[in-house]
Amino acid sequence: MAKYDKNDIERRMQGAVDSLKGDLAGLRTGRANTSLLDPVQVEVYGSMMPLNQVATVSAPEPRMLSVQVWDKGNVNAVEKGIAHANLGLNPMQDGQTLRIPMPDLTEERRKDLAKLADKYGENAKIAIRNVRRDGMEALKEDEKKKEISEDDRKRSEDDVQKLTDKYVEEVDKAVEAKKKEIMTQ
């Protein structure tokens, strides 16, 4: 049974790009974006839970997030969770709702966020290269087992490299677009 599967390699590379896009969406640009609070964990009922399992997050205004906590007893825990997430946000309680104004970004903070976007991009490229390496190793193994010829292996290696180049370019475009968005707000 051949180990090389082009569809699996492409799916895994696309997964790395999708993951990057999710990470980039969480970077704050000055505009209210509900995905900004996705990484927030809240300690409720004796365990850590994602914010979206204890509250509804919305963006009623361009520079304001609203967090509607479902259980009144968890409002303080949610507020604490947001404060501890190091997002530079200061929630204000309003009954069972937390209002979170989006502060203006300083030039220094913008540069930090741009560096973080680069770091996320580099991590995605590493993931893509790891998938490429797995594909190349699978091809060599298939050739060693005489399941494919040397020419087939070389052709497939070219395909894997083309996929790698395509997805790395997609990562670069996504990171550049995010950096531009961060720096021009």
Side-chain angles (χ1 to χ4, degrees):
M1 177 70 195
K3 288 191 76 172
Y4 172 72
D5 179 356
K6 183 179 176 182
N7 291 335
D8 181 56
I9 287 177
E10 189 160 12
R11 181 188 55 75
R12 289 170 57 198
M13 287 183 178
Q14 183 62 53
V17 172
D18 292 345
S19 176
L20 167 71
K21 288 179 178 173
D23 290 343
L24 291 177
L27 287 182
R28 188 162 69 81
T29 57
R31 212 180 285 128
N33 183 340
T34 57
S35 63
L36 180 63
L37 297 178
D38 286 351
V40 174
Q41 294 285 318
V42 182
E43 189 173 350
V44 290
Y45 312 119
S47 65
M48 297 302 281
M49 297 176 84
L51 176 64
N52 62 10
Q53 290 185 7
V54 295
T56 304
V57 180
S58 62
E61 300 169 33
R63 298 186 56 80
M64 175 79 68
L65 284 176
S66 175
V67 179
Q68 180 70 44
V69 183
W70 301 329
D71 182 346
K72 194 172 187 154
N74 293 334
V75 175
N76 288 333
V78 170
E79 185 175 15
K80 195 169 141 188
I82 293 169
H84 285 282
N86 291 329
L87 297 171
L89 302 174
N90 291 322
M92 298 180 293
Q93 269 193 44
D94 182 7
Q96 264 183 258
T97 303
L98 295 172
R99 302 208 176 283
I100 308 169
M102 294 286 109
D104 288 330
L105 293 173
T106 63
E107 188 63 27
E108 187 179 328
R109 182 70 179 134
R110 287 178 199 277
K111 287 178 182 169
D112 288 345
L113 288 171
K115 283 181 191 165
L116 192 55
D118 279 334
K119 183 179 165 218
Y120 287 162
E122 195 49 47
N123 289 344
K125 287 181 193 177
I126 289 169
I128 289 168
R129 286 188 215 110
N130 286 341
V131 174
R132 176 187 64 189
R133 185 195 62 225
D134 292 348
M136 298 295 195
E137 285 174 3
L139 284 167
K140 285 177 184 148
E141 227 171 273
D142 288 350
E143 183 190 9
K144 209 181 276 180
K145 292 182 190 167
K146 306 273 188 245
E147 291 178 3
I148 60 172
S149 68
E150 183 179 351
D151 288 346
D152 287 342
R153 176 183 57 84
K154 287 182 178 171
R155 235 186 327 275
S156 293
E157 283 179 349
D158 286 345
D159 289 346
V160 171
Q161 188 57 51
K162 284 178 186 153
L163 282 174
T164 303
D165 295 343
K166 172 186 154 189
Y167 285 106
V168 164
E169 186 180 331
E170 220 176 295
V171 165
D172 288 338
K173 283 181 184 170
V175 169
E176 282 311 307
K178 189 61 175 189
K179 284 168 58 176
K180 185 176 176 194
E181 182 186 341
I182 289 168
M183 297 312 279
T184 57
Q185 280 298 308

